[in-house]
Amino acid sequence: MYDLCELGFDNYFQELVKDTPYTIGRVAKSSNGIYLTYSVNGKFYCEVSGRFFHRTEDAHDFPCVGDWVLFDYTTADSKGMIHQVLKRKSVLSRHAAGKKQQEQLMAANIDIVFLVSALNNDFNLRRMERFLTQIYESGASPVFILTKKDLCEDVDEKISAVEEIAMGVPILSVDALHNEGMDQLFPFLKKGQTISLLGSSGVGKSTLINRLLGEEVQKTQSIREDDAKGRHTTTQRELFILPSGGIIIDTPGMRELQLWSSEDAASQTFQDIEELEKQCKFRDCRHSSEPGCAVKKAIETGELSEERYKSFLKLQREAKFLDLKKKYGSQRASRIQADEILKGKW
């Protein structure tokens, strides 16, 4: 038996199901078309109904971990049939592997994303910017969790570097293995609030979850000592209920993240550059040889690093091309891109 409020059911979802003959549940795990679903009547292994399956054309509309669904069930075998996925208030997704224009859902209805990064040789600000862009697109709020502080000799310096790319975002450094600094996370773990973990392989997400749950529910592996790269330990998304009453969703680690976002999300990640662009003498400044360019001046004075500006341009181009593909399809988007490159507009 599960309390819907503890699972994160709030007024937003209550308005969507004022009158329904079905049972309300939240998807805790998904595997091969089977959705482990928690409800006030217990947990059930559900499939989508035939009507749902045949009327749904986009993979985006199928249930994912964190979704609220309406289903019916049979008590005898704890099996159920999902008839509807409630409108999501946030969704974390990325571009699916491969060349096809396809979105891969990672988790839904998240309030806060813990962006986890290790303070070791794998510390990478450019990768953090990519993850941050995806979080802003999801509709959730980001919090940086910097792990493995016991392996770092310049923690304060690295925290300052993250502060420069994530203005106003909370940044916490912890050593989950030795339970140091974990109390900083507790204010975010409120009853009914959903947290998702996002980060590369081997940054310590599984160790974090085990500490927060107070038991070993996720396998952990040490990083490779020669290059500080991590190994994949979490292989699927799963929802856990914390002793505090909060909910946490783990996601498999990623080495690279292909964006599934818009130019607006990229701009939100680089608010400092957006502000500098407003100070340029010319509104259509290309930040190359134009006089009165605030961006170029900031790079020359060291106020803005050239690496961050290059990252901004790369992510902006990537998001722009993605927007074009969504609107026109891959072939026409490629033609538009090529034409703008020739005109010096890309």
Side-chain angles (χ1 to χ4, degrees), residues 3-22:
D3 183 311
L4 291 186
C5 291
E6 287 190 356
L7 286 175
F9 194 76
D10 56 21
N11 292 336
Y12 174 88
F13 300 106
Q14 186 65 56
E15 289 296 316
L16 301 177
V17 289
K18 287 183 177 180
D19 296 299
T20 178
Y22 298 117

Side-chain angles (χ1 to χ4, degrees), residues 57-72:
E57 298 179 355
D58 197 323
H60 176 277
D61 298 321
F62 279 87
C64 76
V65 174
D67 266 328
W68 284 98
V69 297
L70 301 181
F71 71 103
D72 53 21

Side-chain angles (χ1 to χ4, degrees), residues 124-130 132-133 136 144 160-169 265-276 295 298-299 302-317:
N124 189 317
L125 291 172
R126 306 289 79 85
R127 189 188 302 136
M128 292 181 199
E129 288 168 343
R130 296 182 72 84
L132 191 59
T133 299
Y136 283 134
F144 272 98
S160 296
V162 177
E163 287 175 342
E164 290 181 4
I165 69 164
M167 289 67 69
V169 177
S267 296
Q268 196 169 358
T269 304
F270 296 92
Q271 296 176 45
D272 55 334
I273 298 178
E274 294 280 302
E275 288 301 316
L276 285 171
V295 173
I299 293 174
E303 179 185 347
L304 172 67
S305 73
E306 189 169 359
E307 291 78 12
R308 178 164 171 78
Y309 181 59
K310 288 180 179 178
S311 178
F312 165 71
L313 293 177
K314 182 180 179 181
L315 288 176
Q316 198 175 50
R317 286 194 296 265

Side-chain angles (χ1 to χ4, degrees), residues 80-221:
M81 198 69 68
I82 294 173
H83 298 277
Q84 183 182 342
V85 175
L86 297 186
K87 183 180 178 182
R88 299 162 178 139
K89 63 179 179 181
S90 65
V91 60
L92 187 63
S93 62
R94 64 171 177 170
H95 193 292
K99 296 182 179 180
K100 289 186 177 181
Q101 179 70 5
Q102 190 171 357
E103 181 182 15
Q104 181 184 38
L105 301 185
M106 301 169 67
N109 301 313
I110 306 153
D111 298 302
I112 295 173
V113 176
F114 282 172
L115 206 172
V116 186
S117 182
L119 290 164
N120 56 14
N121 294 337
D122 200 34
F123 184 82
N124 189 317
L125 291 172
R126 306 289 79 85
R127 189 188 302 136
M128 292 181 199
E129 288 168 343
R130 296 182 72 84
F131 282 127
L132 191 59
T133 299
Q134 207 66 359
I135 295 171
Y136 283 134
E137 177 69 7
S138 75
S141 299
V143 174
F144 272 98
I145 308 295
L146 305 181
T147 61
K148 305 181 189 290
K149 63 183 296 185
D150 57 313
L151 302 178
C152 180
E153 296 180 354
D154 57 346
V155 174
D156 291 340
E157 184 177 327
K158 282 187 167 65
I159 290 176
S160 296
V162 177
E163 287 175 342
E164 290 181 4
I165 69 164
M167 289 67 69
V169 177
I171 302 170
L172 313 176
S173 61
V174 303
D175 174 8
L177 187 62
H178 302 100
N179 207 25
E180 182 182 341
M182 294 295 292
D183 56 324
Q184 301 174 83
L185 279 59
F186 295 155
F188 299 99
L189 310 176
K190 299 176 182 178
K191 178 181 177 180
Q193 184 152 272
T194 301
I195 308 290
S196 182
L197 298 184
L198 182 65
S200 300
S201 306
V203 296
K205 299 194 308 301
S206 295
T207 302
L208 272 175
I209 283 191
N210 289 338
R211 284 295 184 189
L212 293 173
L213 287 170
E215 57 180 314
E216 298 291 316
V217 297
Q218 295 290 72
K219 292 182 179 179
T220 61
Q221 290 184 358

Side-chain angles (χ1 to χ4, degrees), residues 246-262:
I247 303 102
I248 196 159
I249 299 175
D250 196 10
T251 60
M254 294 172 285
R255 179 54 51 196
E256 295 295 337
L257 173 66
Q258 286 186 289
L259 294 182
W260 184 270
S261 59
S262 65

